């Protein structure tokens, strides 16, 4: 029995014998080929060959965010770019993209952690219970989001169960946060709570160590703004006994704004 690869060779040989006038019993040749072909394993077909799909290029969402952010020349266009951005794994589970509230261009910028349930529903930052306390804290230093305060977050989509945002969730927002600071040009940033304070200052110190002291935040492209961390209003709702600390921090914020001409 010829090996599969030699079936064609055997056919060619039989034809050559025929051409040469060698007497070949055609019935025997046909019978032989039938048996050989039946026992040969099926030739590899295109379908059996491994299908090579073109590899999908993995999207680098931080780079995408950087490109989208740098192309914006106003706070409003930046807001639209953030709303259009699909690079945060949190976006799918969120009802709204929460970018900012208040007065673009105000000398005071508050940066919080990210939207909670109420903020997610309304599409605005700090509008739940903690937001109401923040408004009172701002009023104590003669600030109001409708007039002279700008409020945003380090993350624009509500994490499930209100957990803290994870590093990669913060990383895709960072270029937008930086661009927001560069476009709104605040005189002073207040980081509300441990998450934005530690993240923006790249510090492993807790909020109790960072709060009430002045630091400097510098964006990736080199724009620097003084930053004072304060206790998060949601924390103060749970621990009202710490409100005196928050009060001292707010007085420092007011003093520095006056000194900086804000
Ligand atoms: N807490 C925050 O840090 N940000 C909000 O927008 C709401 C609550």
């Amino acid at each position: 029995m010829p090996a599969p690869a030699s079936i064609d060779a055997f056919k060619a040989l039989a034809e050559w014998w025929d051409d040469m006038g060698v007497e070949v019993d055609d019935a025997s040749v046909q019978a032989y080929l039938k048996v050989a072909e039946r026992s040969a394993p099926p030739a590899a077909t295109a379908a059996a060959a491994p299908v090579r799909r073109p590899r999908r290029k993995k999207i680098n969402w931080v780079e995408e965010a950087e490109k989208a952010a740098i192309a914006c020349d106003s706070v409003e266009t930046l807001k639209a770019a953030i709303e259009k951005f699909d690079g945060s794994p949190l976006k799918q589970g969120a009802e709204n993209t929460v970018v900012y509230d208040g007065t673009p261009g105000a000398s005071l910028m508050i940066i919080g952690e990210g939207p909670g349930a109420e903020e997610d529903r309304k599409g605005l930052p700090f509008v739940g219970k903690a937001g109401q306390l923040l408004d009172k804290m701002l009023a104590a230093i003669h600030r109001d989001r409708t007039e002279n305060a700008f409020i945003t977050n380090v993350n624009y989509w509500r994490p499930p169960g209100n957990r803290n945002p994870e590093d990669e969730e913060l990383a895709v927002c960072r270029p937008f946060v930086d661009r927001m600071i560069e476009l709104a040009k605040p005189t002073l940033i207040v980081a509300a709570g441990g998450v934005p304070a530690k993240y923006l200052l790249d510090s492993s110190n807790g909020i109790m160590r960072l709060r009430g002291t002045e630091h400097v935040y510098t964006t990736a492209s080199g724009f620097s703004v003084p930053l004072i961390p304060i206790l998060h209003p949601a924390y103060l709702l749970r621990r009202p006994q710490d409100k005196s600390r928050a009060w001292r921090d707010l007085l420092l914020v007011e003093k520095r704004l006056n000194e900086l001409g804000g």
Side-chain angles (χ1 to χ4, degrees):
M1 170 95 41
S6 66
I7 291 174
D8 284 345
F10 182 77
K11 280 183 193 165
L13 178 65
E15 272 167 29
W16 185 72
W17 279 337
D18 197 34
D19 289 346
M20 293 292 105
V22 178
E23 288 255 307
V24 186
D25 174 1
D26 194 49
S28 309
V29 169
Q30 292 311 319
Y32 181 82
L33 283 174
K34 220 171 168 182
V35 174
E37 278 167 357
R38 230 186 287 137
S39 60
T45 61
V51 180
R52 280 192 199 282
R53 289 179 211 285
R55 270 222 196 134
R56 250 209 239 148
K57 199 168 167 261
K58 197 164 178 284
I59 298 174
N60 182 328
W61 285 112
V62 174
E63 276 178 20
E64 294 300 308
E66 284 165 358
K67 279 188 256 167
I70 209 70
C72 296
D73 58 5
S74 71
V75 166
E76 292 76 18
T77 55
L78 183 61
K79 179 174 187 275
I82 297 167
E83 287 166 346
K84 217 171 118 202
F85 181 70
D86 286 329
S88 172
L90 297 174
K91 190 176 184 181
Q92 270 204 330
E95 210 173 304
N96 274 300
T97 299
V98 178
V99 182
Y100 74 81
D101 194 18
T103 314
S107 54
L108 175 62
M109 178 185 268
I110 318 292
I111 306 186
E113 172 180 329
E118 197 63 18
E119 288 78 17
D120 184 39
R121 254 193 303 279
K122 297 198 174 139
L124 289 169
F126 282 103
V127 288
K129 282 209 170 75
Q132 285 159 21
L133 178 55
L134 177 67
D135 285 340
K136 285 185 191 157
M137 292 161 74
L138 291 176
I141 54 166
H142 314 102
R143 295 275 159 172
D144 186 308
R145 67 173 86 192
T146 64
E147 280 174 33
N148 53 11
F150 183 85
I151 303 177
T152 186
N153 284 307
V154 284
N155 162 48
Y156 307 109
W157 296 275
R158 183 193 181 204
N162 283 352
R163 64 161 169 74
N164 286 352
E166 287 170 5
D167 285 351
E168 66 270 26
E169 294 159 357
L170 290 168
V172 294
C173 295
R174 181 67 160 260
F176 296 120
V177 174
D178 277 7
R179 193 72 185 137
M180 190 66 88
I181 293 167
E182 288 159 6
L183 292 169
K185 295 188 176 51
T187 306
L188 180 73
I189 294 173
V190 162
V195 170
K198 289 172 75 170
Y199 184 62
L200 294 174
L201 298 175
D202 192 22
S203 173
S204 55
N205 287 334
I207 185 66
M208 281 302 175
R209 283 194 154 222
L210 295 172
R211 58 155 278 273
T213 49
E214 187 171 322
H215 306 254
V216 174
Y217 179 64
T218 302
T219 67
S221 44
F223 183 78
S224 291
V225 186
L227 181 150
I228 298 177
I230 65 168
L231 297 172
H232 195 284
Y235 169 85
L236 293 171
L237 287 173
R238 292 192 302 272
R239 281 190 59 91
Q241 60 270 43
D242 277 333
K243 279 187 181 169
S244 58
R245 287 189 163 116
W247 175 239
R248 283 203 297 276
D249 299 347
L250 287 170
L251 290 180
L252 173 67
V253 169
E254 187 177 40
K255 177 172 163 278
R256 289 300 290 135
L257 276 168
N258 288 337
E259 287 168 358
L260 295 163

